[in-house]
Amino acid sequence: MRVAIVGAGMAGLSAAVDLLDASAAVILVDAAPRAGGKVVTERVDGFTIEHGPDSFVSYRPAAAELAHRFGLGEQIISVTEPRVVHLRSADQMVPLPEGMGLVLPTRLGPFVRTRLFTWPQKLRAGLDLVLPRHLGDDDIAIGRFLRHRLGPAVIERLADPLIGGIYGTSIEELSLDSVLPMLRSYERDSRSLILASLRSGRAARAGGGGSPFRTLRGGLGDLVDAVTAHLRAQPGYQERLGVAAEEASTGGAASHLRLASGEVVDCDAIIFATPAPVTARLVAGELPDAAAALRTIPHTSTAVVTLGYPPDAFSSPPIGHGFLDAGSGSASSGCTITSGKWASRAPEGSVLIRSFLPERSLALQRRSDAEVFAVVERDVSEAFGTRSEPCVRRIARWADRMPKYVVGHQDRLAAIDAAISVRPQWQLAGASYRGVGLPDVVTSGKAAAAAVVADALR
Ligand SMILES: Cc1cc2nc3c(=O)[nH]c(=O)nc-3n(C[C@H](O)[C@H](O)[C@H](O)COP(=O)(O)OP(=O)(O)OC[C@H]3O[C@@H](n4cnc5c(N)ncnc54)[C@H](O)[C@@H]3O)c2cc1C
């Protein structure tokens, strides 16, 4: 069996690994000149810069398993302690209460004592303990649900910065059932979200606790390098990098993938590991209904600005892992102090900072590099007090590349699945559908590979 995989991000790479394991021949096609997709690690002047993801969670094992398989198990590292993250509002920088889960406290004491909320705001959040269940069967925006249970302050000062920061957009439009389905089960099983979260916090601490975030000592690009080295050593493997796929079609039992170079790849199956809008274009000629369904998944833009500062650039070196913006009016949704969060990311004494420009700062994302750097450098200076300029500046623009799981996402997936299922030899993978995290996209690649193998055996 010969399978074409479009998109060499982590989804496409993981599909390729499994298909070669299953003795299929694979041709991997990517428009970019290198594999890895959003995983881009650059090393410059002793700094290790991640232009895309910088970590993966340990409670979904697929990414770590891939690292172990390709000899990188020893390179997996956890975040540096202490894990202090601040929330920046218009007038203050307040540490995130200890024991915060994604939006809910897993320990009551620090939440009760935090300066982040006033007493009336804390009491309003405490109403969650007595409010009856709120959810019906339908999906709902996370913001709306949490506002009902915990009140507006928790949304604005905590939930939106935390979740919106990850998804690059506001929780007022993100789907509860696709982004945080756990909250639905919390309410169903325990009624109170806070009680359910405290209970799961106790269970997690009993199991050892600790941060779930992991990365590779040398950067996530090492995983891409290890996987591509493995693929290239397999006799059944071919790749076309720097060549976009333009159209997929079928003729009899065969599938055909036309590339921008003019080459037509003939194969038995195709895995589309491209963002949904790209996949829509590729299948539009053959499956217009699937293309229309794929176009219903919105994608937004984000930019990551990385600044490397020499030793002594700060009046006092920034401590902790960084801050999330909670309505300070800044263009950035927050900053990671990369050199404080992970070991060996910057030369001794130097500081590496990543700042994120979310959807609401789209106009700034589109300005020139120099204009963006000026804004972000001023922001970093106001937050941490710089005495000198950065020695390294980088920007990564991910235009229309961040999938948004907005309310109704599950219905959209059902419509896509129904429309594409008429071609069981065509499978979808990647971040547009069932999880944006690296473990999720690795799993999606594996599932797509398994599905084309199962179809071939039918
Ligand atoms: C700034 C940022 C930070 C993130 N941080 C984290 C994090 O810390 N932890 C985490 O788990 N996740 C994080 N994510 C999410 C995660 O990085 C992505 O969801 C994941 O890498 C997507 O993998 P993918 O294979 O689905 O898609 P992609 O990596 O987007 O790969 C798709 C590939 O398709 C190719 N392509 C597009 N069009 C064509 C075409 N016509 N023909 C051929 N090829 C084409 C592209 O060149 C690309 O290589 C982050 C994402 C971003 C942008």
Side-chain angles (χ1 to χ4, degrees):
M1 181 176 51
R2 180 170 149 91
V3 184
I5 300 175
V6 198
M10 285 316 301
L13 289 174
S14 97
V17 168
D18 281 15
L19 285 167
L20 288 161
D21 283 353
S23 304
V26 166
I27 178 160
L28 181 62
V29 179
D30 201 294
R34 49 167 291 283
K38 295 193 186 86
V39 179
V40 183
T41 304
E42 182 188 349
R43 294 176 188 98
V44 52
D45 297 343
F47 292 99
T48 302
I49 296 173
E50 297 283 20
H51 291 289
D54 79 340
S55 58
F56 52 86
V57 290
S58 57
Y59 50 80
R60 295 202 187 105
E65 280 169 8
L66 209 55
H68 278 283
R69 167 159 179 192
F70 293 110
L72 293 168
E74 301 277 292
Q75 302 303 317
I76 297 176
I77 55 170
S78 192
V79 294
T80 309
E81 299 289 342
R83 282 183 276 149
V84 185
V85 175
H86 286 82
L87 279 159
R88 179 173 75 169
S89 57
D91 49 355
Q92 56 179 353
M93 195 74 114
V94 181
L96 196 64
E98 253 178 75
M100 280 306 297
L102 200 47
V103 273
L104 296 161
T106 63
R107 289 171 52 195
L108 203 51
F111 188 75
V112 170
R113 286 192 298 272
T114 179
R115 286 187 287 127
L116 196 59
F117 304 114
T118 63
W119 277 107
Q121 289 167 342
K122 288 176 195 171
L123 288 172
R124 172 61 188 87
L127 260 190
D128 165 74
L129 299 170
V130 293
L131 280 174
R133 288 182 180 82
H134 177 66
L135 292 175
D137 292 338
D138 292 341
D139 195 10
I140 178 175
I142 296 170
R144 196 166 142 211
F145 175 56
L146 290 180
R147 184 172 292 104
H148 172 82
R149 292 223 63 102
L150 303 164
V154 175
I155 310 307
E156 285 151 25
R157 313 200 77 171
L158 203 60
D160 208 30
L162 278 168
I163 306 166
I166 295 171
Y167 284 82
T169 188
S170 165
I171 58 170
E172 302 302 345
E173 60 172 352
L174 289 176
S175 150
L176 180 77
D177 287 335
S178 296
V179 176
L180 288 179
M182 163 191 102
L183 295 185
R184 178 179 283 280
S185 43
Y186 275 8
E187 196 194 61
R188 186 189 57 227
D189 300 342
S190 306
R191 191 180 41 78
S192 157
L193 304 186
I194 293 179
L195 284 180
S197 174
L198 294 176
R199 209 169 289 139
S200 88
R202 274 195 297 277
R205 284 192 292 281
S211 165
F213 294 104
R214 303 284 184 273
T215 196
L216 297 177
R217 192 176 300 280
L220 294 173
D222 283 356
L223 182 57
V224 174
D225 292 346
V227 174
T228 46
H230 162 80
L231 295 176
R232 287 169 188 161
Q234 308 302 305
Y237 176 75
Q238 286 187 301
E239 64 186 19
R240 301 282 185 276
L241 298 182
V243 186
E246 291 193 327
E247 188 177 26
S249 58
T250 50
S255 290
H256 311 288
L257 187 67
R258 187 166 50 76
L259 309 186
S261 57
E263 182 184 0
V264 176
V265 175
D266 299 322
C267 51
D268 302 298
I270 304 178
I271 291 177
F272 299 91
T274 31
V278 174
T279 306
R281 281 203 301 278
L282 297 175
V283 305
E286 180 104 1
L287 298 177
D289 291 349
L294 285 159
R295 280 193 204 99
T296 62
I297 301 205
H299 282 61
T300 186
S301 306
T302 189
V304 183
V305 178
T306 304
L307 303 173
Y309 288 88
D312 301 325
F314 293 86
S315 341
S316 52
I319 42 172
H321 291 181
F323 65 82
L324 290 158
D325 193 84
S328 76
S330 156
S332 145
S333 62
C335 272
T336 301
I337 306 165
T338 304
S339 47
K341 184 175 173 188
W342 306 111
S344 43
R345 290 294 145 116
E348 189 61 32
S350 299
V351 174
L352 187 64
I353 287 184
R354 292 207 317 160
S355 177
F356 302 88
L357 301 182
E359 188 174 51
R360 68 178 149 78
S361 300
L362 201 55
L364 179 63
Q365 289 182 33
R366 289 179 176 151
R367 301 238 292 273
S368 72
D369 290 5
E371 287 172 291
V372 176
F373 290 138
V375 170
V376 174
E377 283 171 44
R378 200 177 323 118
D379 195 48
V380 169
S381 183
E382 279 167 14
F384 301 120
T386 49
R387 290 196 292 223
S388 60
E389 295 202 338
C391 49
V392 168
R393 298 175 174 90
R394 291 290 187 277
I395 179 164
R397 291 183 178 80
W398 299 107
D400 301 322
R401 292 282 301 276
M402 298 278 287
K404 289 205 290 188
Y405 296 178
V406 298
V407 177
H409 186 73
Q410 296 297 322
D411 295 339
R412 287 183 199 94
L413 293 184
I416 292 169
D417 287 349
I420 203 99
S421 64
V422 296
R423 294 278 180 286
Q425 70 277 36
W426 287 7
Q427 293 291 327
L428 308 176
S432 295
Y433 313 106
R434 293 182 167 84
V436 300
L438 290 171
D440 304 312
V441 303
V442 168
T443 300
S444 79
K446 295 173 83 67
V452 295
V453 171
D455 179 59
L457 295 176
R458 229 192 316 266

